[in-house]
Coordinates of all heavy atoms in Angstrom, one line a residue:
G173 N -14.3 28.5 4.4 CA -14.8 27.5 5.5 C -14.4 26.1 5.1 O -14.0 25.3 5.8
E174 N -14.6 25.8 3.8 CA -14.2 24.4 3.3 C -12.6 24.3 3.3 O -12.1 23.2 3.5 CB -14.7 24.2 1.9 CG -16.3 24.1 1.9 CD -16.8 23.3 3.1 OE1 -16.2 22.2 3.4 OE2 -17.8 23.7 3.7
G175 N -11.9 25.4 3.0 CA -10.5 25.3 3.1 C -10.0 25.0 4.5 O -9.0 24.2 4.7
T176 N -10.7 25.5 5.5 CA -10.4 25.2 6.9 C -10.7 23.7 7.1 O -10.0 23.0 7.8 CB -11.2 26.1 7.9 OG1 -10.8 27.4 7.6 CG2 -10.9 25.7 9.3
S177 N -11.8 23.2 6.5 CA -12.2 21.8 6.8 C -11.1 20.8 6.1 O -11.0 19.7 6.7 CB -13.5 21.6 6.1 OG -14.5 22.3 6.7
I178 N -10.5 21.2 5.2 CA -9.6 20.2 4.5 C -8.1 20.4 5.0 O -7.1 19.7 4.6 CB -9.5 20.4 2.9 CG1 -9.0 21.8 2.6 CG2 -10.9 20.1 2.4 CD1 -8.9 21.9 1.0
A179 N -7.9 21.4 6.0 CA -6.6 21.4 6.6 C -6.3 20.2 7.4 O -7.2 19.5 8.0 CB -6.6 22.6 7.5
S180 N -5.1 19.8 7.4 CA -4.6 18.7 8.2 C -4.7 19.0 9.7 O -4.3 20.0 10.1 CB -3.2 18.3 7.8 OG -2.7 17.3 8.6
P181 N -5.2 18.0 10.5 CA -5.3 18.2 11.9 C -4.0 18.2 12.6 O -3.8 18.6 13.7 CB -6.2 17.1 12.4 CG -6.0 16.0 11.3 CD -5.8 16.7 10.0
A182 N -2.9 17.7 11.9 CA -1.6 17.5 12.5 C -0.6 17.8 11.4 O -0.8 17.7 10.2 CB -1.4 16.1 13.1
G183 N 0.6 18.1 11.8 CA 1.7 18.2 10.8 C 1.7 19.7 10.3 O 1.2 20.6 10.8
E184 N 2.5 19.8 9.2 CA 2.6 21.2 8.6 C 1.8 21.3 7.5 O 1.8 20.8 6.5 CB 4.1 21.3 8.1 CG 5.2 21.2 9.2 CD 6.6 21.5 8.8 OE1 6.7 22.1 7.7 OE2 7.5 21.2 9.5
G185 N 0.7 22.2 7.8 CA -0.4 22.5 6.7 C 0.0 23.6 5.8 O 0.4 24.7 6.3
W186 N -0.2 23.4 4.5 CA 0.1 24.3 3.5 C -1.1 24.5 2.6 O -1.7 23.5 2.3 CB 1.4 24.0 2.7 CG 2.6 24.0 3.6 CD1 3.1 23.0 4.4 CD2 3.6 25.1 3.7 NE1 4.2 23.3 5.1 CE2 4.6 24.6 4.6 CE3 3.7 26.3 3.2 CZ2 5.6 25.4 5.0 CZ3 4.7 27.1 3.5 CH2 5.8 26.7 4.4
L187 N -1.3 25.7 2.0 CA -2.4 25.8 1.1 C -2.0 26.5 -0.1 O -1.0 27.3 -0.2 CB -3.6 26.5 1.8 CG -3.5 27.8 2.3 CD1 -3.6 29.0 1.3 CD2 -4.5 28.1 3.4
G188 N -2.8 26.5 -1.1 CA -2.7 27.4 -2.3 C -4.1 27.7 -2.8 O -5.1 27.0 -2.6
V189 N -4.2 28.8 -3.5 CA -5.5 29.3 -4.0 C -5.3 29.6 -5.6 O -4.2 30.0 -6.0 CB -6.0 30.6 -3.3 CG1 -6.2 30.2 -1.8 CG2 -5.0 31.7 -3.5
G190 N -6.4 29.3 -6.3 CA -6.4 29.7 -7.8 C -7.8 29.9 -8.3 O -8.7 29.4 -7.8
I191 N -7.8 30.9 -9.2 CA -9.1 31.3 -9.8 C -8.9 31.4 -11.3 O -7.9 31.8 -11.8 CB -9.6 32.7 -9.2 CG1 -9.7 32.6 -7.7 CG2 -10.9 33.1 -10.0 CD1 -10.2 33.9 -7.1
A192 N -9.9 30.9 -12.1 CA -9.9 31.0 -13.5 C -11.3 31.1 -14.0 O -12.2 30.6 -13.4 CB -9.2 29.6 -14.1
E193 N -11.4 31.8 -15.2 CA -12.7 31.9 -15.9 C -12.8 30.7 -16.7 O -11.9 30.2 -17.4 CB -12.7 33.1 -16.8 CG -12.4 34.5 -16.2 CD -13.5 34.9 -15.2 OE1 -14.7 34.5 -15.5 OE2 -13.2 35.6 -14.2
V194 N -14.1 30.1 -16.7 CA -14.3 28.8 -17.3 C -15.6 29.1 -18.2 O -16.3 30.1 -18.2 CB -14.6 27.7 -16.4 CG1 -13.3 27.4 -15.7 CG2 -15.7 28.0 -15.4
E195 N -16.0 28.0 -19.0 CA -17.1 28.2 -19.9 C -18.3 28.4 -19.2 O -18.5 28.1 -18.0 CB -17.3 26.8 -20.7 CG -16.1 26.6 -21.7 CD -16.4 25.3 -22.4 OE1 -17.4 24.6 -22.2 OE2 -15.5 24.9 -23.2
G196 N -19.2 29.1 -19.9 CA -20.6 29.4 -19.3 C -20.6 30.7 -18.5 O -21.5 30.9 -17.8
G197 N -19.6 31.5 -18.6 CA -19.5 32.7 -17.9 C -19.3 32.6 -16.4 O -19.6 33.4 -15.6
L198 N -18.7 31.4 -16.0 CA -18.5 31.1 -14.6 C -17.1 31.4 -14.2 O -16.2 31.3 -15.0 CB -18.8 29.7 -14.3 CG -20.3 29.3 -14.5 CD1 -20.5 27.8 -14.3 CD2 -21.3 30.0 -13.6
T199 N -16.8 31.7 -13.0 CA -15.6 31.7 -12.3 C -15.3 30.5 -11.4 O -16.2 30.3 -10.5 CB -15.4 33.1 -11.5 OG1 -15.5 34.2 -12.5 CG2 -14.0 33.1 -10.9
R200 N -14.3 29.8 -11.6 CA -14.0 28.6 -10.8 C -12.9 29.0 -9.8 O -11.8 29.5 -10.2 CB -13.6 27.5 -11.7 CG -13.2 26.2 -10.9 CD -12.8 25.1 -11.9 NE -14.0 24.7 -12.8 CZ -13.8 24.1 -13.9 NH1 -12.6 23.8 -14.4 NH2 -14.9 23.7 -14.6
M201 N -13.1 28.8 -8.6 CA -12.2 29.1 -7.5 C -11.9 27.9 -6.7 O -12.7 27.1 -6.3 CB -12.8 30.1 -6.6 CG -13.3 31.5 -7.3 SD -13.7 32.8 -6.1 CE -15.3 32.0 -5.4
I202 N -10.6 27.7 -6.5 CA -10.1 26.4 -5.9 C -9.1 26.7 -4.7 O -8.3 27.7 -4.8 CB -9.4 25.6 -7.0 CG1 -10.4 24.9 -7.9 CG2 -8.4 24.5 -6.3 CD1 -9.8 24.0 -9.0
V203 N -9.3 25.9 -3.7 CA -8.3 25.9 -2.6 C -7.7 24.5 -2.5 O -8.5 23.6 -2.6 CB -8.9 26.3 -1.3 CG1 -7.9 26.1 -0.1 CG2 -9.4 27.7 -1.2
V204 N -6.4 24.4 -2.5 CA -5.8 23.1 -2.4 C -5.0 23.1 -1.0 O -4.4 24.2 -0.6 CB -4.8 22.7 -3.4 CG1 -5.5 22.6 -4.8 CG2 -3.7 23.7 -3.6
A205 N -5.0 22.0 -0.3 CA -4.3 22.0 1.0 C -3.6 20.6 1.1 O -4.1 19.5 0.7 CB -5.3 22.1 2.2
T206 N -2.5 20.6 1.7 CA -1.7 19.3 2.0 C -1.0 19.5 3.3 O -0.7 20.5 3.9 CB -0.7 19.1 0.9 OG1 -0.1 17.9 1.0 CG2 0.4 20.2 0.9
E207 N -0.8 18.3 3.9 CA 0.1 18.1 5.1 C 1.5 17.8 4.6 O 1.7 16.8 3.9 CB -0.4 17.1 6.0 CG 0.5 16.8 7.2 CD 0.0 15.7 8.1 OE1 -0.9 14.9 7.7 OE2 0.7 15.4 9.1
R208 N 2.5 18.5 4.9 CA 3.8 18.3 4.5 C 4.5 17.4 5.5 O 4.6 17.8 6.6 CB 4.5 19.6 4.3 CG 5.9 19.5 3.7 CD 6.3 20.9 3.1 NE 5.5 21.3 1.9 CZ 5.4 22.5 1.4 NH1 6.1 23.4 1.9 NH2 4.6 22.6 0.4
T209 N 4.8 16.2 4.9 CA 5.4 15.2 5.9 C 6.9 14.9 5.6 O 7.5 14.1 6.2 CB 4.7 13.9 5.9 OG1 4.6 13.4 4.6 CG2 3.3 14.1 6.5
V210 N 7.5 15.7 4.6 CA 8.9 15.4 4.3 C 9.4 16.8 3.7 O 8.7 17.5 3.0 CB 9.1 14.3 3.3 CG1 8.5 14.7 1.9 CG2 10.5 13.9 3.1
A211 N 10.6 17.1 4.1 CA 11.3 18.3 3.5 C 12.5 17.8 2.7 O 13.4 17.2 3.3 CB 11.7 19.2 4.6

Side-chain angles (χ1 to χ4, degrees):
E174 295 314 319
T176 301
S177 297
I178 63 176
S180 172
E184 298 189 12
W186 296 82
L187 64 80
V189 297
I191 299 178
E193 304 292 328
V194 296
E195 293 182 2
L198 296 174
T199 297
R200 181 178 295 160
M201 301 188 292
I202 284 179
V203 175
V204 299
T206 185
E207 177 187 2
R208 188 157 293 164
T209 56
V210 66

